[in-house]
Amino acid sequence: MFKLPDQARQEQAMIDQTDRRQFLQQAALSAGAIYTTLLAQNRLTAEDTPLPPYKGPNVILIRFGGGVRRQETIAYPEKTWCPFVYHELGQKRGIIFKDVIIESSPGIETSHGQGTLYLLTGKYDHYEDITHKPFSDRFEAKIPTIFEYLRKTYDIPEHQALILNGEDRIGEEFYTFSNHHLYGVRFRSTVLSLYRFKSYLLREELKNLNRPQKEIDELTKKLQEMENHDYRVRDKRVISPELDRFWADWQAYYGKSGLVNPRGDRVLTELALRAIKQLRPKLLMINYQDPDYVHWGNPHFYTRSIAIIDDGIRQIYEAVQADPEYRDNTAFLIVPDCGRDNNRGMSVAYQHHFNSRSAHEIFAVAAGKGIVHAKAVVDKRRQQAGVAATIGKLMKVPTPHVDPAASVLEEMFL
Amino acid sequence: MSASIPEVLPAHEDSVPVLEEHTAPGKSLLAGFVRLIRTVFGWGWRIIAGSWLCFNLAYLSFFTSVAVAGWLLRFMRGRVLYGLWKQSPRMHDTSFTEFADSLGIEAPSLRPRLFWQEQVRAHLDRPAPNGTPPGPFRIMLRMLKIPWAGFWLNFRLGLQCLIATWSVTGWGCLIMLFSWEFGWLNSFNKGYEQAFVGPITGWLGLVLFLLSMFYVPMAQTHLAATGDLRAFFDFRFVWRLIQACPWRYAFASMFLSVSAILMQILKTLPVGFDDHMPQLLDATDQEFHHYLKGYLSGCAYGLIIALILTRLLAALVYRRALLRVLTQGMVPREQWHPRLAGVLEDLGHTFPTAAVVPPARVGTLRWWTLGSVDVAVTAATLAIMIVAGGGGLLILLLWLAFWVIQVPFRGFWRGAMARYMSGFRYRMLFVLLFWAWFVYIGSVYVCEFLNYHPILGFTNHPLIQLPCFDYMPANLVQTVGP
């Protein structure tokens, strides 16, 4: 199909050399061949074996994002800024991996986009921004994400494989699928974020045709700009009746000003609570991010954000326990996207994460279905990239492309 | 006659300042060598001790560096008076030392002392308050004061200088600090209700600080020359000084700005030390503290040298500006600072009295307005160039043409071109000062983003305010000690 322009050019060249009859014959043959190929492709898709329904545990992967250090989270029980994650989930109900690292190799960076993709794909890789714009962080995974593995293995609709994103990192809206030829967009996950809510609002506004044409043109242009951010997707509108209902409900409650709903990472907690109630996700990834505000140098931006994420996790955990379908059938995995510097020469030692040793040092906390209870802290070194394979094992999904060196976090399984 | 050229009454031939360089009588090679050794050791000691005062023990440096600020004032005063002496009629019959001695025990010195009492003999011999010669007990008490009298004098003067400087520059600094600490209540992709507070206050603080720096370097030198806190706020006189030497003042400001940027960079570099440098990865807190202290001490050397050079340049510009202001009668005699007037009188300087005082061209409402428009147009031109890409070059050409096109038109009238260029230099002064300090403030923001220093980062600029380089992190001090 994508060779059509070339074929047309070839045919144009042939016109100069052959007579009209020959041209028509060859054109008809070419068209026939293309039609047959397309038909065959469609048949193949249609003839795919129906996928089995998913019956395993639900998994909630929480990116303790924005880069956090062990010092403020799990290193000192009396000084932790995330008491629920450390004391309740880690110590009483689950397990703490205190020495998880991001491999230190050339080209492996410790930033949010990269860390998210290491978690999603199970492999360390060097990523380059495809837009070549500063702070854009538009990366594309080369191997499948855990969502693609899951949706290729089980019959899970898009709206039950969810990624929740904050409002500050638009680049992360497009980590929903990889460029792998066997997976890709057909098995993508769905993003819930205020960015998506805005595009929903625009679509809704465009349904009202009683507005001036100029206004309609402006809204259309704006919507296209938002939807065209991902050039890889032919069907750019990630819409479904379930999602439309979700956003309609959100709008009915919070309005459309964007000022009533919770802000910062609190909006992610709210989105997660509503998604669990309304969309019933099987695999849910929550990309918290606000500790990263400490780049400006104000220490309380960081510690306060950790406490807010901790409180968010507590709310989500309690919501899960209150839901009969999710209770005793949901596993929580909490992993930072990266650490932060530990620079004693700076007044704010953790202001950045410049690929320093400490920026590679993170942790993981797991609790819930299929995970050991109140086991001692695991000191053994584990890899962040092992999280994808670990989720694969939890959900009984083959993950053939993950890095075998980044092994599963075995100690957490019952 | 043009209004910008003052009508002056003829001066007596002998009273015009001598502008030629005075060549001292030949000295022997040995005397020259001894003088060289004294200079090297004298300055070497002052640089070592001065850098120690700028950074020594945690928190103590904030106290000791006040004395450095005062010492710099005395250094500038010495250089200014030396220049005035050198161009005075008395230079032929009085050495500078003799002249300085005549000014009392707090006389200016070309190499003021950091700790020790100046003019020790005069200090010991001066009569008691009742006019009688000092007794042995009084002399003994005075001897006890000798080791630290210089430090105390420096400290007092430094405190004056800092109060004056912060009273003008401090507002901008505080507003920038407020903006940085409380201005981030926002999202990058949408504006919260009070999102404007951060950027607006940030820009307000930036502009206030920047505009204050148009004035402060010359005002500090004027304060140094007079030794009087009130002189710092002698706005009319200080603007006249700036007007007298616009190009030199712009150059001195740019030199100060560049030096200050270098200090910002040095202040920021620890961002790449710990957790990055292989030799520091496993260093204990004690070892790291030792390493960082060594680095900051090295930076303090850089700071004291930069301070000496920038203040020396400021003193030279001030001296020239002062003579020009007085020679051209730009300031009526009754508006001269009494101490300055006294010194000039002692040196035998006499200046013609201007029949018509030339109009003020700098610091006036017109100057601020025109300068602001120039800067705004330049900034807009640059912005359009960036947005328009290569095509923006046309905008730049149009902008340049706007300036050049006036030249032939201005040239039709006799003296018009000179007037145009004369006014032009004041406008250029504004533009140069603006960009010099804008770039500096920009560097402060970038450096603080990379390595934030709570409170100090925005409120103290070591080359302008308190010359303190104590950037030892509080956590490290708590762990290891000062």
Side-chain angles (χ1 to χ4, degrees), chain A residues 67-69 102 336-341 352-353 358-362:
Chain A
V68 289
R69 300 192 308 174
I102 298 169
D337 48 3
C338 62
R340 301 198 80 87
D341 291 354
H352 304 290
H353 40 89
S358 173
H360 284 264
E361 295 172 346
I362 52 173

Side-chain angles (χ1 to χ4, degrees), chain A residues 167 258 293 296 344 351-352, chain B residues 180 186 189-190 274 449-450:
Chain A
E167 55 187 334
Y293 263 72
W296 307 114
R344 290 168 291 181
Q351 191 174 348
H352 304 290
Chain B
W180 194 260
N186 200 12
N189 293 305
K190 72 173 185 188
D274 192 22
F449 171 74
L450 289 170

Side-chain angles (χ1 to χ4, degrees), chain B residues 76 212-225 231-232 237-246 248-250 252-253 256 313-322 325:
Chain B
M76 280 197 284
S212 71
M213 286 310 295
F214 282 26
Y215 176 82
V216 164
M218 188 63 95
Q220 277 182 340
T221 321
H222 189 48
L223 163 62
F232 188 93
F237 195 87
V238 172
W239 284 124
R240 286 298 183 135
L241 290 169
I242 295 169
Q243 179 178 334
C245 288
R248 283 183 172 79
Y249 185 64
S253 293
L256 180 58
L313 189 58
L316 294 176
V317 172
Y318 176 86
R319 191 185 75 196
R320 182 173 278 267
L322 180 68
V325 161

Side-chain angles (χ1 to χ4, degrees), chain B residues 64-396:
Chain B
T64 53
S65 53
V66 176
V68 177
W71 178 79
L72 287 166
L73 283 192
R74 292 175 59 212
F75 168 67
M76 280 197 284
R77 184 164 192 232
R79 298 309 312 189
V80 169
L81 293 190
Y82 177 72
L84 293 177
W85 165 80
K86 224 175 162 186
Q87 297 193 2
S88 73
R90 279 192 65 186
M91 187 196 71
H92 299 291
D93 51 19
T94 313
S95 71
F96 178 69
T97 313
E98 288 167 343
F99 161 67
D101 288 348
S102 70
L103 297 176
I105 59 165
E106 289 189 3
S109 163
L110 287 175
R111 223 168 38 228
R113 289 171 174 163
L114 280 164
F115 300 99
W116 208 255
Q117 170 77 49
E118 303 276 359
Q119 312 262 10
V120 174
R121 183 160 292 280
H123 166 68
L124 293 176
D125 292 346
R126 76 197 150 104
N130 60 6
T132 57
F137 183 67
R138 188 176 291 277
I139 288 175
M140 195 183 72
L141 284 179
R142 284 179 179 174
M143 284 176 81
L144 288 176
K145 281 173 65 180
I146 287 172
W148 55 274
F151 181 84
W152 176 239
L153 174 65
N154 290 332
F155 187 84
R156 276 189 295 133
L157 288 172
L159 211 53
Q160 277 187 21
C161 179
L162 293 174
I163 289 168
T165 306
W166 260 315
S167 68
V168 176
T169 56
W171 303 105
C173 293
L174 284 175
I175 294 172
M176 281 192 285
L177 175 67
F178 171 83
S179 141
W180 194 260
E181 286 281 340
F182 303 105
W184 294 112
L185 191 64
N186 200 12
S187 154
F188 289 117
N189 293 305
K190 72 173 185 188
Y192 291 160
E193 294 91 334
Q194 292 171 330
F196 66 92
V197 172
I200 295 263
T201 49
W203 276 104
L204 178 67
L206 183 151
V207 170
L208 278 180
F209 178 80
L210 189 154
L211 296 182
S212 71
M213 286 310 295
F214 282 26
Y215 176 82
V216 164
M218 188 63 95
Q220 277 182 340
T221 321
H222 189 48
L223 163 62
T226 57
D228 180 9
L229 177 64
R230 282 168 300 183
F232 188 93
F233 304 99
D234 194 352
F235 293 103
R236 199 173 298 173
F237 195 87
V238 172
W239 284 124
R240 286 298 183 135
L241 290 169
I242 295 169
Q243 179 178 334
C245 288
W247 295 116
R248 283 183 172 79
Y249 185 64
F251 175 75
S253 293
M254 285 191 285
F255 184 71
L256 180 58
S257 166
V258 170
S259 308
I261 290 170
L262 288 176
M263 296 319 297
Q264 287 291 327
I265 292 169
L266 289 176
K267 182 184 85 172
T268 307
L269 281 183
V271 74
F273 287 3
D274 192 22
D275 216 16
H276 291 86
M277 292 168 69
Q279 66 268 34
L280 294 174
L281 278 179
D282 296 312
T284 62
D285 286 348
Q286 194 79 40
E287 288 165 344
F288 184 77
H289 181 268
H290 181 71
Y291 180 87
L292 189 61
K293 194 164 186 175
Y295 171 77
L296 293 174
S297 300
C299 292
Y301 279 103
L303 175 63
I304 195 78
I305 290 169
L307 283 165
I308 291 170
L309 291 178
T310 51
R311 298 311 194 259
L312 177 63
L313 189 58
L316 294 176
V317 172
Y318 176 86
R319 191 185 75 196
R320 182 173 278 267
L322 180 68
L323 288 176
R324 195 169 281 180
V325 161
L326 302 181
T327 309
Q328 294 181 359
M330 291 168 78
V331 177
R333 177 68 178 77
E334 60 274 14
Q335 288 181 14
W336 297 7
H337 191 279
R339 283 191 197 168
L340 212 50
V343 167
L344 290 168
E345 198 173 300
D346 286 351
L347 285 170
H349 280 296
T350 50
F351 297 97
T353 308
V356 177
V357 176
R361 304 291 296 273
V362 173
T364 60
L365 183 64
R366 183 171 181 270
W367 183 71
W368 288 110
T369 312
L370 270 179
S372 304
V373 170
D374 286 340
V375 167
V377 170
T378 310
T381 306
L382 290 173
I384 293 169
M385 274 185 68
I386 291 165
V387 172
L393 201 61
L394 185 66
I395 307 288
L396 182 69

